[in-house]
Amino acid sequence: MKRVLVALLALLVVAVAGFLTVGARIADGRMNTVVSTAVPVVSPVAAALHRRLFIADMHADQLLWGRDPLERVSRGHVDVPRLQEGHVALQVFSVVTKTPRGMNYDHNTGDTDNVLLLALAEHWPLATWTSLRARAVYQADKLRAAALRSANTLTLITTREEMAQFAERRAGDPAQVSALLAIEGLHALDGRLESVDTLYAAGFRMMGLTHFFDNEVAASAHGVTHAGLTPLGRQVITRMESLGIIVDLAHSSSQTVQEVLAMATRPVVVSHTGVAATCPGPRNLTDDQLRAIAANGGLVGIGYWDGAVCEPTVNSIVKAIMHAVQVAGATHVALGSDFDGATQTPFDTRGLAAITDGLLKAGMAQDVIARVMGENTRDFLLQQLPSSSPTPPAGR
């Protein structure tokens, strides 16, 4: 009887694990979609211009979904083969460590944890079941391992020197792709200031303060309080700036944005957003915020999904970019797709030439298009990344 019970228990465990694994793939396929799977057809002029550009995207959540970044798959938006096909030189890979059930743009608490289910389904290490910091480090290690396996096709960037070296190599080899690690929400600190150094040692060079709920660092645009920075948050900003970590204000409450800009001594980014003038919404930037971020020397990444541009079309993306350039200036606007962020976009990363084409048709000058499509992000990183790494702290 005991053997039968053990056998039944083993079968149950296998069945549950199989169900969760299949469920994770189904969720990925249903949540990360495109309006059309066909690569958009663009004009010969746009295609030729796009091939000459340094294309950079400031936000994708590919690491969350259990896909190998080096392998082409038919679901979702981003992997290295598709980045190469889209002529993308730099992709910022952001890690997600926790999202609430019933996630919405208006009101969320941090009481529930969707990512735990994914961690179980995708067989993440035991430490990730209870530590958000461990989840961030695990995803970072996954990207680093992919870069090491890529035969120098994928380069993980951590310093301005590495960025400059990559840009030089990329000019002679358009198949080269670089990656930068970012975090979506500093609940990943597990409430500890010293975790900033731990995550820096893991390779993170851009950190979003909040995601869909308020945390120990700051208030979210989608949280409960709509307040600003906490005392810990002010310490975190100071420590991030001292290490050369870029502060990302995506998802931050209006008060958080205001308070960070008031104390920032270095330029910030909003990695993926829309603009309220073309698509009203609780997380889209007002013209006053656009001007304030430009005055800070910062950079705004325009997204492609409905929450950013209201309708996931090339025309809507172009409209938002044109407005942001008009208000903030040509050197302060970039791409911030939110690919693989449980979003529907017009295309996957193979289709980025459609934005180049749309901007040309809208009358944007080619040198400005080059800036928006990636030169602004490249130059920002060349200026703002740390020039060298401090000694990693013990106890990572």
Side-chain angles (χ1 to χ4, degrees):
M1 178 60 70
K2 183 177 179 181
R3 289 182 179 179
V4 172
L5 290 174
V6 169
L8 288 173
L9 180 59
L11 286 172
L12 179 61
V13 169
V14 170
V16 170
F19 174 78
L20 288 173
T21 301
V22 171
R25 291 177 181 172
I26 292 173
D28 181 10
R30 289 181 177 176
M31 298 176 75
N32 300 304
T33 62
V34 293
V35 174
S36 173
T37 57
V39 177
V41 177
V42 303
S43 72
V45 172
L49 173 61
H50 192 78
R51 285 193 296 270
R52 296 196 301 270
L53 301 180
F54 186 99
I55 309 297
D57 173 39
M58 287 211 297
H59 192 88
D61 294 319
Q62 191 271 353
L63 296 172
L64 181 63
W65 300 102
R67 302 185 231 127
D68 185 338
L70 302 182
E71 293 185 7
R72 182 191 296 271
V73 296
S74 59
R75 64 186 186 275
H77 302 133
V78 169
D79 49 54
V80 168
R82 286 184 285 178
L83 288 168
Q84 292 172 317
E85 192 172 335
H87 198 67
V88 178
L90 171 73
Q91 179 65 63
V92 176
F93 287 84
S94 186
V95 306
V96 176
T97 59
K98 183 177 176 179
T99 60
R101 255 179 239 133
M103 190 167 64
N104 63 83
Y105 276 177
D106 299 317
H107 185 281
N108 301 274
T109 70
D111 297 336
T112 55
D113 184 1
N114 288 331
V115 174
L116 176 59
L117 295 176
L118 273 176
L120 294 171
E122 295 172 4
H123 314 297
W124 291 13
L126 183 62
T128 66
W129 297 9
T130 56
S131 168
L132 304 187
R133 186 180 71 179
R135 294 179 190 179
V137 171
Y138 170 71
Q139 292 177 71
D141 288 346
K142 185 164 64 170
L143 182 62
R144 182 178 294 100
L148 291 173
R149 289 188 287 109
S150 73
N152 296 320
T153 298
L154 179 65
T155 301
L156 181 61
I157 303 294
T158 60
T159 68
R160 65 181 68 174
E161 290 87 356
E162 290 171 349
M163 185 74 246
Q165 291 162 7
F166 171 80
E168 185 176 349
R169 291 199 312 274
R170 180 59 164 59
D173 183 1
Q176 291 276 315
V177 177
S178 62
L180 188 86
L181 271 167
I183 285 178
E184 195 148 34
L186 285 184
H187 38 275
L189 299 180
D190 284 342
R192 300 171 62 185
L193 178 62
E194 57 267 31
S195 293
V196 175
D197 292 75
T198 303
L199 295 175
Y200 181 95
F204 290 97
R205 295 297 182 267
M206 183 184 295
M207 293 187 184
L209 303 184
T210 66
H211 198 198
F212 272 90
F213 54 91
D214 304 333
N215 60 37
E216 302 96 332
V217 170
S220 167
H222 324 295
V224 176
T225 68
H226 299 285
L229 289 169
T230 67
L232 174 62
R234 292 182 178 277
Q235 292 180 290
V236 166
I237 296 294
T238 299
R239 185 57 184 156
M240 287 173 64
E241 289 195 330
S242 71
L243 290 171
I245 299 171
I246 296 162
V247 176
D248 181 5
L249 295 177
H251 292 283
S252 292
S253 70
S254 295
Q255 187 172 332
T256 296
V257 172
Q258 182 178 352
E259 291 180 3
V260 171
L261 290 174
M263 72 173 292
T265 62
R266 302 178 70 243
V268 303
V269 301
V270 183
S271 63
H272 58 302
T273 188
V275 293
T278 66
C279 181
R283 62 163 298 179
N284 292 344
L285 299 176
T286 66
D287 285 1
D288 285 345
Q289 288 174 322
L290 287 170
R291 284 187 281 265
I293 291 163
N296 160 267
L299 197 56
V300 173
I302 300 299
Y304 310 161
W305 76 104
D306 58 355
V309 293
C310 284
E311 185 180 5
T313 66
V314 173
N315 286 341
S316 296
I317 298 167
V318 167
K319 186 178 178 181
I321 290 172
M322 296 290 287
H323 181 83
V325 167
Q326 181 181 16
V327 175
T331 59
H332 299 287
V333 182
L335 303 180
S337 65
D338 202 16
F339 280 148
D340 287 325
T343 55
Q344 182 181 59
T345 58
F347 40 70
D348 64 21
T349 193
R350 298 172 300 162
L352 287 177
I355 299 178
T356 302
D357 190 48
L359 293 172
L360 275 173
K361 290 176 180 175
M364 183 175 282
Q366 290 193 13
D367 62 327
V368 179
I369 293 173
R371 298 219 64 81
V372 169
M373 294 298 291
E375 287 182 3
N376 284 339
T377 301
R378 178 199 65 195
D379 293 350
F380 186 91
L381 295 176
L382 285 170
Q383 295 165 7
Q384 301 304 325
L385 285 174
S387 59
S388 60
S389 299
T391 303
R396 174 181 153 191

